[in-house]
Amino acid sequence: MRKSLFTVVTLVLVFSWGRVHGASLCAPNQPLAVADSFAFPVDPVDQTRKNLSGYYDAQKFLEYNSQFQKYHTGEDWNGNGGDSSDYGKPVLAVANGTVTFVGNAGLTWGKVLIVRHDLPDGFPMNSLYGHLSRILVKEGDHVQKGCQVGEIGDADHYYAGIAHLHLELRVDRSMERDAGHGYVASLGETATIANYTDPTRFIQSHSVSSVSSFTQGWNYITHNFTYAAASNLAWVDFRGTKYSVAEAVNANLIYYLAYQWVNGAWRTFDIRTGTFNPRETYWIYNFSNAVAFALYGQYDLDQQGLQDMSTRAAKDSRFGSSITGTFRKYLDWDPNWVLRSIDFSFSWWRVVTMYQATSKDDPSVRLTIFWDPTAGQWIGWDQVW
């Protein structure tokens, strides 16, 4: 009787605690799921508007810190109450993934947790949660988006009175067990900066904007976000199995050509390689029932840059594959533009660097250029369509 009563009380307390904290418990033994969408790691948040409501970004990505005289490689999220009002509040996994590091990373870091995420398109991503007061998972655990992995802290009182969550999103898999430094000395450290991406922008761009259930025959989907959505970041679910759009086409789940009514005429659209434009409707043919089509809100700009450069290289038969580890971005290149680059193998055992520029005012304005060693001149700037 005592054991039964104890069990009931324990379950009630765990259930109540989870509800109070607004977080679900992780399921470490469940099979690893693809990170098909991202969400903010603090609660409460307004997931509909895809921004923070109970928290503010106290130190933004690559913001200059006058105390350390360096630039911040993550974001510092603090409760709206300020100071340490958020001490002990839940820290949630931003996406499905596997815990790769749990430990104390030293004086300014305190307890740190790193999670590896696998996106549907194979893009690498790690999330780091720093200054924690408590960690609730261990290395090797599988975590699901929104489950609680820790609690906000102050780096073992190094930041006493100003507890906050330091969040980083990394695109360098070599950092899966490395807390790093949290700062870079200069925006000119392009190789280092390329290992990180803007957390808020990435989370917003990888929140699912719509999930449409398709029946056999013609179905339509409307993209309602501000920026274009990449088809290679969308995914198709068929009876619990997730496919990329290209995989769904190859599996005869959906037809590769979609249709749009534009200026009084129908035009075709290849959903394997195209981009869904804002506020436009696309008709897609589905060969089966029980298919769901999920569309992300917008491109992550780093991924967009990589695809733009690969698309441009594919138009010239002299280009081979891109060279792993050579992606760079130059944030201080121009007041109005961000420059990205990656190296490609080229004919006659040469290496050529492709560049892509994105307008800071309008990310849909993008250009590519490269130096042609055969012609001895720059080829570009070409507008990306």
Side-chain angles (χ1 to χ4, degrees):
M1 180 66 179
R2 286 184 177 178
K3 183 177 181 181
S4 298
L5 179 60
F6 175 78
T7 302
V8 170
V9 171
T10 301
L11 289 174
V12 169
L13 287 175
V14 169
F15 178 74
S16 301
W17 177 83
R19 290 193 64 184
V20 168
H21 284 69
S24 60
L25 299 178
C26 288
N29 296 321
Q30 288 192 3
L32 177 63
V34 172
D36 51 25
S37 64
F38 281 67
F40 289 110
V42 287
D43 190 63
V45 294
D46 185 341
Q47 295 293 354
T48 302
R49 296 174 58 192
K50 297 180 176 59
N51 58 17
L52 303 174
S53 59
Y55 289 77
Y56 68 98
D57 187 359
Q59 186 175 197
K60 296 178 174 56
F61 178 64
L62 293 181
E63 182 177 340
Y64 183 72
N65 184 297
S66 58
Q67 176 184 353
F68 298 131
Q69 297 184 351
K70 294 180 179 180
Y71 296 86
H72 199 220
T73 55
E75 292 179 339
D76 285 345
W77 289 351
N78 201 348
N80 284 342
D83 300 327
S84 287
S85 60
D86 54 353
Y87 188 95
K89 295 293 180 65
V91 173
L92 316 179
V94 297
N96 300 331
T98 302
V99 178
T100 59
F101 177 79
V102 170
N104 195 309
L107 182 64
T108 61
W109 274 114
K111 298 178 182 65
V112 169
L113 167 70
I114 300 176
V115 178
R116 169 181 176 157
H117 310 284
D118 294 303
L119 276 65
D121 64 347
F123 194 71
M125 180 60 60
N126 295 315
S127 57
L128 175 144
Y129 313 80
H131 315 326
L132 303 180
S133 61
R134 188 180 177 205
I135 296 176
L136 303 178
V137 292
K138 65 182 185 301
E139 292 181 13
D141 279 355
H142 299 323
V143 298
Q144 297 171 320
K145 182 183 73 173
C147 75
Q148 185 173 355
V149 294
E151 296 177 358
I152 291 176
D154 57 9
D156 297 329
H157 308 307
Y158 181 86
Y159 295 110
I162 49 173
H164 61 277
L165 170 66
H166 175 93
L167 176 76
E168 293 181 358
L169 292 186
R170 288 106 164 264
V171 296
D172 182 0
R173 280 284 167 77
S174 70
M175 303 178 72
E176 287 186 346
R177 295 186 52 81
D178 181 9
H181 302 288
Y183 292 89
V184 291
S186 167
L187 292 180
E189 294 185 28
T190 56
T192 300
I193 289 175
N195 295 333
Y196 301 85
T197 194
D198 185 319
T200 290
R201 178 178 285 277
F202 190 91
I203 290 169
Q204 289 175 330
S205 68
H206 287 77
S207 299
V208 175
S209 64
S210 62
V211 179
S212 302
S213 295
F214 285 177
T215 57
Q216 186 174 2
W218 288 102
N219 301 264
Y220 70 88
I221 185 169
T222 302
H223 178 50
N224 295 316
F225 272 51
T226 303
Y227 297 112
S231 61
N232 71 327
L233 295 182
W235 50 263
V236 174
D237 186 297
F238 179 63
R239 295 177 178 172
T241 300
K242 286 187 171 58
Y243 301 81
S244 69
V245 171
E247 289 172 340
V249 169
N250 292 336
N252 292 321
L253 297 176
I254 56 177
Y255 188 53
Y256 80 97
L257 284 180
Y259 287 85
Q260 282 180 280
W261 183 258
V262 180
N263 297 325
W266 289 101
R267 79 172 182 91
T268 57
F269 170 79
D270 191 331
I271 61 176
R272 297 169 299 181
T273 58
T275 299
F276 292 88
N277 294 321
R279 295 173 295 279
E280 292 188 7
T281 298
Y282 300 82
W283 289 86
I284 300 172
Y285 190 85
N286 180 48
F287 292 105
S288 176
N289 291 313
V291 168
F293 192 97
L295 188 63
Y296 284 115
Q298 63 186 60
Y299 256 142
D300 170 71
L301 297 184
D302 286 342
Q303 287 178 272
Q304 181 162 6
L306 285 167
Q307 175 152 326
D308 287 347
M309 290 183 282
S310 295
T311 299
R312 179 61 185 89
K315 296 178 179 179
D316 190 323
S317 61
R318 295 174 299 170
F319 280 93
S321 59
S322 60
I323 300 174
T324 302
T326 61
F327 174 67
R328 299 168 292 269
K329 55 184 173 183
Y330 309 84
L331 302 178
D332 58 348
W333 174 66
D334 183 270
N336 301 311
W337 298 84
V338 173
L339 188 68
R340 294 171 173 83
S341 70
I342 193 168
D343 296 342
F344 286 85
S345 58
F346 201 72
S347 62
W348 296 99
W349 303 281
R350 291 171 291 184
V351 173
V352 167
T353 301
M354 181 73 71
Y355 296 90
Q356 186 259 19
T358 301
S359 168
K360 294 179 180 179
D361 294 328
D362 182 358
S364 66
V365 178
R366 310 181 319 270
L367 309 170
T368 59
I369 192 172
F370 68 95
W371 175 262
D372 187 332
T374 303
Q377 63 182 15
W378 290 100
I379 305 299
W381 296 93
D382 296 325
Q383 170 67 43
V384 178
W385 300 101

